[in-house]
Amino acid sequence: MANRRHGKLHSILATLALTIALPASALSQGAGLGAAGELVDPDVLRVCADPSNLPFSNQSGEGFENKLAEMVAAKLGRKSIRYTWYPMVTGFVRNTLGANRCDVIMGFAQGDDLVQNTNPYYRSTYALVYKKGGDLDGVETIEDPKLVGKKIGVVGGTPPAANMAEAKLLKTAKAYPLLIDTRISPSMGQVMVKDLLDGVIDVAIIWGPMAGYYAHKANSDLAVVPLVKENTGSRMTYRITMGVRPSDQEWKRTLNKFIQENQGDINKLLLEYNVPLLDEQDKPITQ
């Protein structure tokens, strides 16, 4: 169950709910393009991405994963970047990385077995978002009694929803869908923050990168509180990696080296998008 939750994060994350990728034997067929016969293009950075899923990626190149891809291409000497666009819904891995149409997913939660994970390049958490100056000021956990009776927006099937169930908060909750086709529907983070501003809900629980990005874009006085003090239930923090094919060992090592050598610049990029970054002790990273 924990691994499956990891895989759902980018579809929230928007988080990633995906089908089984092609078997390793299928992935290894055909002529190798890169080192050790791997199916990685040595000249073009081929990226698997959602076409309309800010703050992560979009076809205009405005997401932080787009900017990260530009950094990877520049540092690794790739001549260009080519995207395979597919919404973060069922079949994403199978139709992109698994079909050898691209070589890397820029954001994938650590622990899911659909891809081979690189080392993590950031760690974040779900967050509470609410208007400052009201009776929710100071709330830091889902278990806080101040949330009883409040209209809480949460994406169904995610770890916060499980903790809300344990705290008996689902009776007044508003559930948002986990799986959406971002080509025809806006991001759930965007929808939830709008509903918060419009008074449809009193508080939203959103995956951190989306919470920070859309709360900042709202140009309103919103609190974004990382959920790092939960005492029971599901964990809220996750490490995010790049995803590659299981057969591409040398490619993984190359990306790991990139992450290690450029972590400071990666952190700076993510902070520009208001991503709540955490170290391994759950302390905020601010620079």
Side-chain angles (χ1 to χ4, degrees):
M1 180 64 71
N3 281 353
R4 190 53 51 201
R5 283 176 182 155
H6 291 187
K8 290 177 180 176
L9 273 177
H10 196 255
S11 67
I12 307 164
L13 82 147
T15 168
L16 286 172
L18 309 168
T19 57
I20 301 300
L22 294 178
S25 59
L27 295 177
S28 64
Q29 294 174 1
L33 296 173
E38 295 181 3
L39 300 175
V40 177
D41 194 308
D43 299 316
V44 178
L45 182 66
R46 304 191 305 162
V47 179
C48 327
D50 191 304
S52 181
N53 192 27
L54 291 176
F56 307 103
S57 63
N58 71 2
Q59 286 183 285
S60 298
E62 297 170 314
F64 68 75
E65 290 181 359
N66 297 113
K67 305 304 182 185
L68 181 59
E70 292 172 11
M71 192 188 306
V72 171
K75 294 290 185 178
L76 299 186
R78 291 315 200 255
K79 297 175 182 177
S80 62
I81 301 172
R82 184 166 69 242
Y83 283 95
T84 293
W85 301 111
Y86 199 90
M88 287 287 180
V89 294
T90 299
F92 178 79
V93 170
R94 174 169 50 83
N95 287 292
T96 58
L97 193 69
N100 191 36
R101 299 174 63 197
C102 43
D103 299 322
V104 61
I105 301 169
M106 299 308 297
F108 208 99
Q110 187 180 57
D112 194 279
D113 58 3
L114 295 180
V115 303
Q116 177 179 206
N117 297 112
T118 65
N119 293 338
Y121 64 92
Y122 74 96
R123 185 171 181 266
S124 193
T125 181
Y126 285 92
L128 294 167
V129 184
Y130 52 80
K131 296 177 182 177
K132 294 179 182 178
D135 59 355
L136 292 176
D137 281 352
V139 173
E140 297 182 319
T141 68
I142 293 174
E143 296 89 352
D144 193 304
K146 289 183 180 180
L147 292 178
V148 175
K150 297 296 184 182
K151 293 175 290 184
I152 304 173
V154 66
V155 173
T158 61
N163 285 22
M164 285 177 59
E166 292 185 21
K168 297 179 171 56
L169 296 175
L170 292 182
K171 184 176 180 180
T172 56
K174 176 176 172 56
Y176 293 81
L178 174 64
L179 299 178
I180 60 169
D181 187 334
T182 53
R183 295 170 298 186
I184 57 177
S185 300
S187 158
M188 279 302 101
Q190 180 179 358
V191 172
M192 292 169 77
V193 168
K194 183 179 185 302
D195 282 353
L196 176 61
L197 295 174
D198 292 345
V200 176
I201 55 177
D202 300 309
V203 57
I205 305 180
I206 312 174
W207 173 235
M210 302 179 81
Y213 178 78
Y214 284 110
H216 180 76
K217 277 183 67 69
N219 196 26
S220 187
D221 207 13
L222 298 178
V224 178
V225 182
L227 284 170
V228 295
K229 296 184 178 181
E230 295 298 290
N231 295 316
T232 60
S234 301
R235 65 189 179 94
M236 298 292 115
T237 59
Y238 293 87
R239 299 178 185 91
I240 304 302
T241 73
M242 299 178 196
V244 301
R245 284 179 291 270
S247 57
D248 293 339
Q249 295 294 318
E250 184 61 32
W251 180 223
K252 180 185 75 171
R253 286 189 284 269
T254 297
L255 291 172
N256 282 343
K257 187 172 185 288
F258 163 82
I259 293 168
Q260 180 182 16
E261 293 178 349
N262 296 278
Q263 188 64 67
D265 288 337
I266 294 171
N267 289 351
K268 181 180 178 181
L269 169 63
L270 296 170
L271 290 172
E272 289 174 354
Y273 281 77
N274 298 286
V275 175
L277 297 181
L278 300 174
D279 65 18
E280 291 298 325
Q281 288 72 48
D282 288 338
K283 302 298 183 184
I285 297 172
T286 58
Q287 60 182 8

